[in-house]
mmCIF file of all heavy atoms in Angstrom:
data_model
loop_
_atom_site.group_PDB
_atom_site.id
_atom_site.type_symbol
_atom_site.label_atom_id
_atom_site.label_comp_id
_atom_site.label_asym_id
_atom_site.label_seq_id
_atom_site.Cartn_x
_atom_site.Cartn_y
_atom_site.Cartn_z
ATOM 1 N N THR U 10 -28.313 -51.316 -47.607
ATOM 2 C CA THR U 10 -27.870 -52.660 -47.253
ATOM 3 C C THR U 10 -27.187 -53.308 -48.456
ATOM 4 O O THR U 10 -27.642 -53.189 -49.577
ATOM 5 C CB THR U 10 -29.073 -53.520 -46.844
ATOM 6 O OG1 THR U 10 -29.784 -52.838 -45.828
ATOM 7 C CG2 THR U 10 -28.633 -54.872 -46.339
ATOM 8 N N GLY U 11 -26.058 -53.985 -48.199
ATOM 9 C CA GLY U 11 -25.365 -54.707 -49.248
ATOM 10 C C GLY U 11 -24.180 -53.964 -49.834
ATOM 11 O O GLY U 11 -23.401 -54.550 -50.570
ATOM 12 N N ILE U 12 -24.018 -52.697 -49.547
ATOM 13 C CA ILE U 12 -22.881 -51.957 -50.091
ATOM 14 C C ILE U 12 -21.638 -52.179 -49.241
ATOM 15 O O ILE U 12 -20.556 -52.388 -49.759
ATOM 16 C CB ILE U 12 -23.209 -50.458 -50.206
ATOM 17 C CG1 ILE U 12 -24.231 -50.253 -51.313
ATOM 18 C CG2 ILE U 12 -21.963 -49.656 -50.499
ATOM 19 C CD1 ILE U 12 -24.611 -48.818 -51.536
ATOM 20 N N LEU U 13 -21.765 -52.133 -47.942
ATOM 21 C CA LEU U 13 -20.637 -52.347 -47.049
ATOM 22 C C LEU U 13 -20.637 -53.786 -46.550
ATOM 23 O O LEU U 13 -21.684 -54.395 -46.348
ATOM 24 C CB LEU U 13 -20.703 -51.393 -45.856
ATOM 25 C CG LEU U 13 -20.639 -49.909 -46.195
ATOM 26 C CD1 LEU U 13 -20.808 -49.077 -44.937
ATOM 27 C CD2 LEU U 13 -19.339 -49.586 -46.870
ATOM 28 N N PHE U 14 -19.443 -54.331 -46.331
ATOM 29 C CA PHE U 14 -19.329 -55.676 -45.803
ATOM 30 C C PHE U 14 -19.511 -55.660 -44.295
ATOM 31 O O PHE U 14 -19.146 -54.695 -43.634
ATOM 32 C CB PHE U 14 -17.955 -56.270 -46.116
ATOM 33 C CG PHE U 14 -17.713 -56.498 -47.580
ATOM 34 C CD1 PHE U 14 -16.598 -55.954 -48.193
ATOM 35 C CD2 PHE U 14 -18.582 -57.257 -48.331
ATOM 36 C CE1 PHE U 14 -16.362 -56.164 -49.525
ATOM 37 C CE2 PHE U 14 -18.358 -57.474 -49.672
ATOM 38 C CZ PHE U 14 -17.242 -56.922 -50.273
ATOM 39 N N PRO U 15 -20.026 -56.740 -43.744
ATOM 40 C CA PRO U 15 -20.109 -56.812 -42.283
ATOM 41 C C PRO U 15 -18.708 -56.914 -41.667
ATOM 42 O O PRO U 15 -17.763 -57.372 -42.308
ATOM 43 C CB PRO U 15 -20.925 -58.072 -42.018
ATOM 44 C CG PRO U 15 -20.864 -58.854 -43.271
ATOM 45 C CD PRO U 15 -20.620 -57.888 -44.389
ATOM 46 N N GLU U 16 -18.587 -56.523 -40.427
ATOM 47 C CA GLU U 16 -17.291 -56.515 -39.753
ATOM 48 C C GLU U 16 -16.701 -57.917 -39.637
ATOM 49 O O GLU U 16 -15.488 -58.097 -39.719
ATOM 50 C CB GLU U 16 -17.440 -55.895 -38.367
ATOM 51 C CG GLU U 16 -16.137 -55.683 -37.658
ATOM 52 C CD GLU U 16 -16.310 -54.988 -36.328
ATOM 53 O OE1 GLU U 16 -17.419 -54.528 -36.025
ATOM 54 O OE2 GLU U 16 -15.313 -54.928 -35.596
ATOM 55 N N SER U 17 -17.532 -58.913 -39.479
ATOM 56 C CA SER U 17 -17.024 -60.286 -39.360
ATOM 57 C C SER U 17 -16.322 -60.733 -40.638
ATOM 58 O O SER U 17 -15.335 -61.474 -40.581
ATOM 59 C CB SER U 17 -18.172 -61.240 -39.029
ATOM 60 O OG SER U 17 -19.128 -61.231 -40.077
ATOM 61 N N LEU U 18 -16.793 -60.283 -41.785
ATOM 62 C CA LEU U 18 -16.153 -60.620 -43.054
ATOM 63 C C LEU U 18 -14.801 -59.913 -43.176
ATOM 64 O O LEU U 18 -13.815 -60.500 -43.622
ATOM 65 C CB LEU U 18 -17.051 -60.237 -44.224
ATOM 66 C CG LEU U 18 -16.470 -60.506 -45.602
ATOM 67 C CD1 LEU U 18 -16.581 -61.984 -45.920
ATOM 68 C CD2 LEU U 18 -17.166 -59.681 -46.631
ATOM 69 N N LEU U 19 -14.745 -58.652 -42.762
ATOM 70 C CA LEU U 19 -13.506 -57.879 -42.878
ATOM 71 C C LEU U 19 -12.424 -58.382 -41.929
ATOM 72 O O LEU U 19 -11.233 -58.182 -42.184
ATOM 73 C CB LEU U 19 -13.783 -56.402 -42.610
ATOM 74 C CG LEU U 19 -14.734 -55.722 -43.599
ATOM 75 C CD1 LEU U 19 -14.981 -54.294 -43.170
ATOM 76 C CD2 LEU U 19 -14.184 -55.785 -44.998
ATOM 77 N N ASN U 20 -12.794 -59.029 -40.853
ATOM 78 C CA ASN U 20 -11.826 -59.543 -39.891
ATOM 79 C C ASN U 20 -11.475 -61.011 -40.114
ATOM 80 O O ASN U 20 -10.743 -61.590 -39.324
ATOM 81 C CB ASN U 20 -12.355 -59.357 -38.462
ATOM 82 C CG ASN U 20 -12.380 -57.900 -38.066
ATOM 83 O OD1 ASN U 20 -11.571 -57.110 -38.529
ATOM 84 N ND2 ASN U 20 -13.328 -57.544 -37.217
ATOM 85 N N SER U 21 -11.963 -61.608 -41.198
ATOM 86 C CA SER U 21 -11.694 -63.028 -41.454
ATOM 87 C C SER U 21 -10.296 -63.208 -42.054
ATOM 88 O O SER U 21 -9.706 -62.285 -42.616
ATOM 89 C CB SER U 21 -12.740 -63.603 -42.403
ATOM 90 O OG SER U 21 -12.652 -62.979 -43.664
ATOM 91 N N ASP U 22 -9.767 -64.421 -41.922
ATOM 92 C CA ASP U 22 -8.415 -64.718 -42.412
ATOM 93 C C ASP U 22 -8.321 -64.652 -43.929
ATOM 94 O O ASP U 22 -7.362 -64.110 -44.482
ATOM 95 C CB ASP U 22 -7.976 -66.105 -41.943
ATOM 96 C CG ASP U 22 -7.678 -66.143 -40.453
ATOM 97 O OD1 ASP U 22 -7.406 -65.067 -39.883
ATOM 98 O OD2 ASP U 22 -7.718 -67.239 -39.882
#
Side-chain angles (χ1 to χ4, degrees):
T10 307
I12 290 181
L13 298 176
F14 294 126
E16 187 176 351
S17 62
L18 178 78
L19 297 177
N20 290 330
S21 64
D22 288 338

